[in-house]
Amino acid sequence: MHKDDGWAEESSASASVPLALRRVLGLVISGEATNRAELARRSGLARSTVGQQVENLVGNGILQEVESRRSVRGRPPRVLTISPQAGTVVAVDVDTTASHVAIADLSRRLIAQDTVAVRIDAGPRIVLDAVSELLRRLLAEYDRAPGRVREVVVGLPGPVDFQQGCAVQPTGMPGWDGYPVAEHLRERFRAPVVVDNDVNLMALGEAEQGGAEMPLLCIKIASGIGAGLVTAGGDVYRGADGAAGDIGHTRAVSGGNVLCVCGNVGCVGAIASHRAVLRGLGIPESTDDDPLHGTRVLAQRVADSDPAALHAVRQAATEVGEVVAVLVHMFNPRSIILAGPLSELRDDLVSAVRAAVYQRALPLATRKLTITATQLKGRSGLHGGIALATRDVFGPAGIARLLADEPGAAGSSGSSGSPTSPPRPSPDGYQATGAG
């Protein structure tokens, strides 16, 4: 959370929530306890204390206590679950040709998802307004109260200042550098907004929803190449300034003098990204009628065993594998997940990356390593956004807001603004206003 955004500090929020309540809620959220007896046994709290905290949580609409559907003799036992009406979290995955959005309840149950076909180079205002309009429609269509949106998480395909909630010097995203994305959406939904790199969210989604073992490294091969790392403890590693994982600008073995969009030459993204492969084969990336034209044509040419297409994909995968081998030595992940448009060409992509990694990395680092393509079909970023949002909602500050029923109160890191804060300029000169 911003140190100067006018919100209460995390420690004060934590102090306002009884430890017993946090313990009870945590056990229900994790599934370790589903009824009052289990809560008393696992928490070590007195039954009267458990009963008091359960009544508090049920009374505030955070939990619900319902009869079990299990077939038993006598009166069915009552079980505790997160209330479906406790609130809604929103995930937005902004990509180059379209933005994907999803809404979920606080148990991470996906309620709805949809796509808005606006290119990222249309600029942040147009893209974010289109996303906001679609989200409002989904909330209305599925009878989710806009005032109970608890957090919005946005993934952007470029370096992100997680604290300020904006992109920082992204390539191929005109107008996005420093634009206050968090402020923009917070004005419209009056809820905390977190902005993160899209591959970070994809990695978290693979860890949470895909069931991959951690530490986990997710590699996205799209218009550029990026990586997201989830540690053994389940946390996203972002680095000191949010630049961790921007591996597309690593010097490639066969990079030569190929010019990259960053201004350097020989970057792996310039010769091995999905965009670079299409360019090398003379395939247009998109058309007016089909934004995924290049992806479809390349997939068909590979399926038809076109020699040039097969060679291009395998060569790109080998270049990526060389970089990934270095990451394997640095982070020693248990799982590597390949994502992005090229991941749909599973056999050719995965086998070439595996070959490069196993050839370059030492046996100690690879003996338990698994390298696979994503199974989440382009939705890992949305699942990661939902996971990150619910973590924040059930953190100490988030619980305090739930109890006060103030969805627009303080956000975690990456959120911005205050419902009563006056308009103020952001560090880059954009005018940002509170959502009062």
Side-chain angles (χ1 to χ4, degrees):
M1 150 171 50
H2 299 171
K3 63 181 180 181
D4 59 349
D5 62 3
W7 301 101
E9 295 293 335
E10 183 87 2
S11 58
S12 63
S14 302
S16 67
V17 180
L19 181 60
L21 185 145
R22 277 188 279 157
R23 179 66 175 150
V24 167
L25 182 57
L27 288 169
V28 175
I29 292 169
S30 66
E32 295 179 58
T34 59
N35 57 56
R36 299 185 187 219
E38 288 180 349
L39 283 170
R41 184 169 62 254
R42 291 185 176 274
S43 68
L45 300 170
R47 285 180 176 268
S48 59
T49 302
V50 168
Q52 182 183 31
Q53 301 309 326
V54 167
E55 293 300 331
N56 189 358
L57 291 165
V58 171
N60 278 281
I62 300 172
L63 296 183
Q64 64 177 3
E65 196 168 23
V66 297
E67 290 186 352
S68 173
R69 295 182 178 179
R70 290 182 300 174
S71 178
V72 294
R73 290 185 177 181
R75 184 178 179 181
R78 297 180 66 79
V79 297
L80 291 161
T81 62
I82 300 171
S83 171
Q85 302 305 318
T88 304
V89 292
V90 171
V92 181
D93 185 8
V94 179
D95 209 343
T96 54
T97 59
S99 294
H100 311 288
V101 301
I103 58 175
D105 63 22
L106 299 191
S107 68
R108 301 186 183 179
R109 180 182 65 89
L110 186 64
I111 296 171
Q113 58 182 323
D114 207 340
T115 300
V116 55
V118 178
R119 295 183 60 87
I120 200 168
D121 54 17
R125 295 181 188 277
I126 293 176
V127 171
L128 296 176
D129 283 345
V131 164
S132 298
E133 182 179 349
L134 175 57
L135 284 171
R136 281 193 290 264
R137 180 174 64 77
L138 289 177
L139 291 170
E141 183 178 345
Y142 290 88
D143 197 26
R144 308 297 295 185
R148 295 181 76 81
V149 172
R150 302 301 181 182
E151 184 160 296
V152 180
V153 174
V154 183
L156 297 180
V160 167
D161 186 324
F162 188 67
Q163 297 295 326
Q164 297 296 328
C166 63
V168 180
Q169 298 182 349
T171 55
M173 297 172 59
W176 289 84
D177 182 23
Y179 185 84
V181 175
E183 291 282 358
H184 186 114
L185 291 176
R186 195 176 141 18
E187 288 180 12
R188 285 148 180 79
F189 294 98
R190 302 177 184 267
V193 177
V194 172
V195 182
D196 206 344
N197 174 264
D198 61 343
V199 195
N200 287 342
L201 296 181
M202 293 169 70
L204 188 57
E206 294 290 345
E208 296 280 347
Q209 193 74 18
E213 286 190 81
M214 298 178 285
L216 179 146
L217 190 63
C218 180
I219 309 295
K220 180 185 178 184
I221 310 171
S223 56
I225 300 175
L229 176 69
V230 177
T231 68
D235 298 317
V236 175
Y237 180 77
R238 298 182 175 86
D241 300 302
D246 199 7
I247 63 172
H249 302 293
T250 303
R251 177 81 179 185
V253 174
S254 305
N257 292 317
V258 178
L259 182 64
C260 180
V261 292
C262 71
N264 287 327
V265 296
C267 297
V268 67
I271 65 170
S273 66
H274 179 248
R275 177 172 289 173
V277 171
L278 294 178
R279 183 173 60 245
L281 292 170
I283 302 173
E285 187 173 358
S286 62
T287 65
D288 293 338
D289 298 328
D290 185 6
L292 298 178
H293 172 79
T295 300
R296 301 185 207 281
V297 172
L298 178 60
Q300 186 59 54
R301 287 180 62 172
V302 169
D304 292 340
S305 298
D306 177 80
L310 289 172
H311 175 76
V313 170
R314 291 168 183 169
Q315 182 60 36
T318 299
E319 295 290 352
V320 172
E322 293 281 348
V323 175
V324 172
V326 176
L327 299 179
V328 167
H329 278 303
M330 290 184 65
F331 298 111
N332 189 203
R334 180 67 73 237
S335 305
I336 294 177
I337 307 295
L338 304 177
L342 280 186
S343 69
E344 297 178 12
L345 311 175
R346 295 174 184 275
D347 294 340
D348 295 279
L349 178 73
V350 173
S351 60
V353 170
R354 279 178 181 160
V357 170
Y358 289 130
Q359 180 183 7
R360 300 295 300 174
L362 296 177
L364 179 62
T366 59
R367 62 183 180 182
K368 295 182 180 179
L369 176 68
T370 61
I371 304 175
T372 62
T374 179
Q375 302 292 321
L376 297 181
K377 297 182 179 179
R379 293 296 182 260
S380 53
L382 293 178
H383 288 298
I386 291 168
L388 181 59
T390 52
R391 284 186 185 185
D392 288 345
V393 170
F394 290 122
I399 296 172
R401 295 194 298 273
L402 283 175
L403 294 173
D405 196 24
E406 296 176 356
S412 64
S413 294
S415 67
S416 57
S418 164
T420 57
S421 61
R424 66 180 189 277
S426 64
D428 55 29
Y430 286 101
Q431 189 71 19
T433 58

